[in-house]
Amino acid sequence: MTAPADDSSEGGHSEAERRLHERTRSDDAGTSPDEPETGTTPRGPERDLGVREQMPENTVAPVDPGGGAATFEVVGVREGMFGVDGTGDTSGYGGLRRPVVMPGATQRPFGGWFDEVADQLASGLRQTGTGDVVERVVVDRGEMTVHVRRGHLLATVRQLRDDAALRFEFCSGVSGVHYPGDRGRELHAVYHLLSMTHNRRLRLEVSVPDADPHIPSVVSVYPTADWHERETYDFFGIIFDGHPALTRIMMPDDWPGHPQRKDYPLGGIPVEYKGATIPPPDTRRAYS
C-alpha cells in the first residue's frame, strides 16, 4: 500500500497554503508574488499615484523637447534687492545687478499634451474666423504659456472654455507683472486656467504698453476673474475694458499710483513694534 504524497512544507503548512499566504501578502503590499522586494518598488497607494502620473493626460513636456539649446530673452537689468527706481536702496544690496531674463519661444514639438492643445486651439479659432491670435508659445519647466494678442483675448478664452477637447472651465487667477525694460510691452496680465475635465493647466499671457494699458475683461467668460482683475488694476494700473465695476480693491480710492509697479517709489508710514518705531523705507538710511 502506497503512502500518500507529503505536500507539507516546513512548519506543517501545505505548499498550497504557503503560496496562498504569499499571494495575500503581495496583494496587500502592491507587488506580485514573483517580484523581488528591493525596497524601492512603490507599494499600495504610492504605486497607484505613480501610475496616474504617467497617464497621457498628466504627462508634461520636457524643458527642452527639441534637444537643442534653450533660447532666452533679456528684457532689462535689475539693480539692488528690489529693483526699484527713483528711491535710495535701503537693503544694503544696492550693488547687485542681475539681468531680467525670460524664456523665448519654444519650437515644435512641444511634447506631452501641449501639441494637442495648441493644434486644437488654432483649429477652433480658424473655424470662428479669428485671425492671427498667438504671438508665441513658451514651454518652460514643464509648463505651457500661450502669449495672446489682446484684441483676440476674449475669442481665445471662449474657445478654451467651450471646446470639448480643451474645456478649460476655470480661471484660478489673474496676475500682473511690470517689466519696465520690455519696451512697448511693459505691462503683462497673466491668466491661470485649469481644465478639470482633462486635468490640465494652461497659462495665457497678454502684454500691453505703459502708454495704452487696456485689456478686454474676461469676467463675461470667467466670472471668478472679477476681483482678480480689480486687484491687478489696483496694483499695476492695467485697465480691463468691459469689467462690471473696475475699482480699487486693496488701496483707498484716492491712493496715488499703483504700488507693485517697478517705478513706484519705496515709501510708507512708520510702524510701531514692541515699543520701537520702524521708519518707512523712504526715510531710512540709503546705501546707494
Side-chain angles (χ1 to χ4, degrees):
M1 186 173 180
T2 305
D6 183 10
D7 63 348
S8 63
S9 59
E10 186 178 354
H13 297 288
S14 68
E15 180 67 17
E17 289 174 338
R18 184 181 66 80
R19 292 187 64 84
L20 177 62
H21 178 65
E22 287 182 357
R23 182 172 297 278
T24 303
R25 271 199 319 159
S26 65
D27 288 345
D28 292 339
T31 61
S32 66
D34 300 325
E35 183 179 354
E37 294 186 8
T38 62
T40 59
T41 304
R43 298 179 177 181
E46 293 182 4
R47 182 188 63 170
D48 295 340
L49 178 60
V51 171
R52 288 197 298 271
E53 289 177 345
Q54 296 304 316
M55 297 175 69
E57 63 269 23
N58 293 328
T59 56
V60 297
V63 173
D64 183 19
T71 60
F72 297 94
E73 179 183 357
V74 179
V75 298
V77 177
R78 179 174 177 176
E79 299 183 4
M81 176 68 76
F82 306 108
V84 176
D85 298 327
T87 305
D89 184 274
T90 62
S91 67
Y93 293 90
L96 287 178
R97 290 178 59 87
R98 290 175 293 172
V100 180
V101 179
M102 294 192 294
T106 304
Q107 302 300 316
R108 296 249 192 178
F110 302 138
W113 50 263
F114 297 153
D115 290 282
E116 176 188 341
V117 167
D119 291 340
Q120 186 65 30
L121 176 61
S123 173
L125 289 172
R126 281 196 302 268
Q127 292 176 12
T128 61
T130 307
D132 190 14
V133 173
V134 177
E135 293 181 345
R136 67 180 184 271
V137 176
V138 175
V139 176
D140 185 59
R141 294 173 175 83
E143 299 177 350
M144 182 181 189
T145 303
V146 180
H147 291 255
V148 179
R149 291 178 174 83
R150 61 174 165 182
H152 300 300
L153 176 61
L154 281 177
T156 302
V157 294
R158 285 194 189 100
Q159 187 68 31
L160 287 168
R161 184 195 64 179
D162 297 340
D163 191 321
L166 300 171
R167 201 65 82 194
F168 286 89
E169 310 100 330
F170 180 56
C171 177
S172 62
V174 182
S175 305
V177 193
H178 184 212
Y179 294 108
D182 196 7
R183 300 303 180 190
R185 302 163 50 88
E186 292 88 357
L187 293 170
H188 296 224
V190 185
Y191 303 80
H192 307 274
L193 306 183
L194 168 66
S195 170
M196 292 176 282
T197 299
H198 302 292
N199 193 19
R200 296 169 176 172
R201 292 185 182 272
L202 177 70
R203 185 184 299 110
L204 293 184
E205 189 163 337
V206 179
S207 305
V208 294
D210 265 338
D212 183 21
H214 291 263
I215 295 177
S217 171
V218 300
V219 172
S220 61
V221 180
Y222 294 118
T224 54
D226 188 335
W227 286 15
H228 296 283
E229 288 185 350
R230 288 179 58 193
E231 183 177 9
T232 305
Y233 159 71
D234 193 357
F235 287 154
F236 293 93
I238 298 176
I239 300 172
F240 294 93
D241 296 328
H243 190 282
L246 191 63
T247 57
R248 290 187 182 272
I249 193 171
M250 301 293 287
M251 310 304 292
D253 290 339
D254 59 351
W255 189 269
H258 304 279
Q260 288 191 352
R261 291 172 55 101
K262 293 295 191 297
D263 55 5
Y264 190 85
L266 288 176
I269 59 175
V271 177
E272 292 186 4
Y273 181 72
K274 292 188 175 180
T277 299
I278 302 173
D282 57 341
T283 64
R284 299 175 194 170
R285 175 183 174 185
Y287 295 90
S288 58

